[in-house]
Amino acid sequence: MKKAILGTKIGMTQIFDENGVVIPVTVVQAGPCVVTQKKTVETDGYDAVQVGFGDVKEKHLNKPQLGHFKKADVANKKYLREFRLEDCSALNVGDEIKADTFEAGEKIDVSGISKGKGFAGPMKHGLHRGPMTHGSKSKRVSGSMGMCSNPGRVFKGKVLPGHMGVDKVTVQNLEVVKVVSDDNLILVKGAIPGNKGGLVTIRNAVKA
């Protein structure tokens, strides 16, 4: 990837473009992120940068984490993520990555943890209901589990009740509508995964 940044989802709103057209946008507090570690081919076998985002109190970190930030001489951070950028040489430990890394009109991919929906039954979990008439005995149920003695098991992928949501979701080819560099805000056209306040990762689009 060429560039990436961490942020938190603030919420959705709408803005007007120069033609007066309403654009639904998600506001992301993107950065500032600080480079906490730099990995190279010589020491680690690959090139990457580790970035930290979000200040956190010392009491919420353990000794190895505190030592890691002390070695890098940076403030304690809540989140750490590693990015394999195309040009890692341009960044050094202590450098900041801010929202103005991106600009309006760019295509991005946004990753986050989807909203949790609790324990869902087979209908909500993705199964289509059976016929409701003509004496059907299979309306809102899972249906057949599989064959009898052969193969004698339930095939993988069978839709059954279970925990729904709280999965890593990536939405691709979203557009950056506006960047407010003074407040480190990125306005993204459309919706992105996760709850308000949830951590999101913004990268340049791989399919743009």
Side-chain angles (χ1 to χ4, degrees):
M1 69 188 81
K2 295 180 181 178
K3 50 190 175 181
I5 195 171
L6 296 174
T8 53
K9 177 179 176 179
I10 295 178
M12 291 197 70
T13 184
Q14 57 187 24
I15 62 174
F16 296 89
D17 65 6
E18 60 274 7
N19 299 319
V21 178
V22 175
I23 303 175
V25 296
T26 303
V27 183
V28 179
Q29 179 76 50
C33 298
V34 62
V35 178
T36 57
Q37 187 179 4
K38 188 173 180 179
K39 298 192 175 183
T40 61
V41 177
E42 293 78 17
T43 57
D44 303 279
Y46 62 97
D47 288 320
V49 290
Q50 183 192 83
V51 300
F53 170 68
D55 293 330
V56 64
K57 293 181 180 179
E58 184 175 320
K59 67 178 182 179
H60 296 304
L61 301 176
N62 56 32
K63 287 185 178 180
Q65 291 171 327
L66 291 171
H68 183 67
F69 293 123
K70 185 176 181 181
K71 180 180 178 181
D73 195 21
V74 298
N76 298 329
K77 297 298 177 182
K78 185 175 183 179
Y79 303 106
L80 288 177
R81 293 295 184 273
E82 190 175 284
F83 299 125
R84 296 194 184 192
L85 305 177
E86 292 181 358
D87 186 18
C88 295
S89 59
L91 294 171
N92 295 306
V93 175
D95 290 351
E96 283 193 337
I97 303 174
K98 297 184 177 181
D100 54 13
T101 304
F102 295 89
E103 56 187 22
E106 277 191 282
K107 293 291 185 178
I108 58 173
D109 294 342
V110 182
S111 300
I113 303 298
S114 63
K115 291 182 179 180
K117 294 174 172 58
F119 189 91
M123 293 295 105
K124 189 174 181 179
H125 216 214
L127 189 70
H128 296 288
R129 65 169 174 80
M132 302 296 284
T133 56
H134 300 288
S136 171
K137 299 292 192 299
S138 300
K139 294 182 172 65
R140 293 177 56 84
V141 295
S142 300
S144 173
M145 290 290 109
M147 296 68 171
C148 296
S149 60
N150 184 29
R153 62 185 176 86
V154 179
F155 287 128
K156 288 184 179 180
K158 171 66 179 175
V159 179
L160 295 170
H163 190 183
M164 191 172 179
V166 198
D167 293 316
K168 185 177 180 180
V169 178
T170 300
V171 181
Q172 296 182 314
N173 276 346
L174 295 174
E175 181 182 349
V176 176
V177 178
K178 186 178 180 181
V179 177
V180 185
S181 56
D182 293 339
D183 298 321
N184 280 309
L185 299 177
I186 296 180
L187 276 61
V188 182
K189 185 177 181 180
I192 64 174
N195 291 298
K196 293 179 182 178
L199 180 70
V200 295
T201 304
I202 299 177
R203 304 179 180 87
N204 58 291
V206 296
K207 295 181 179 178

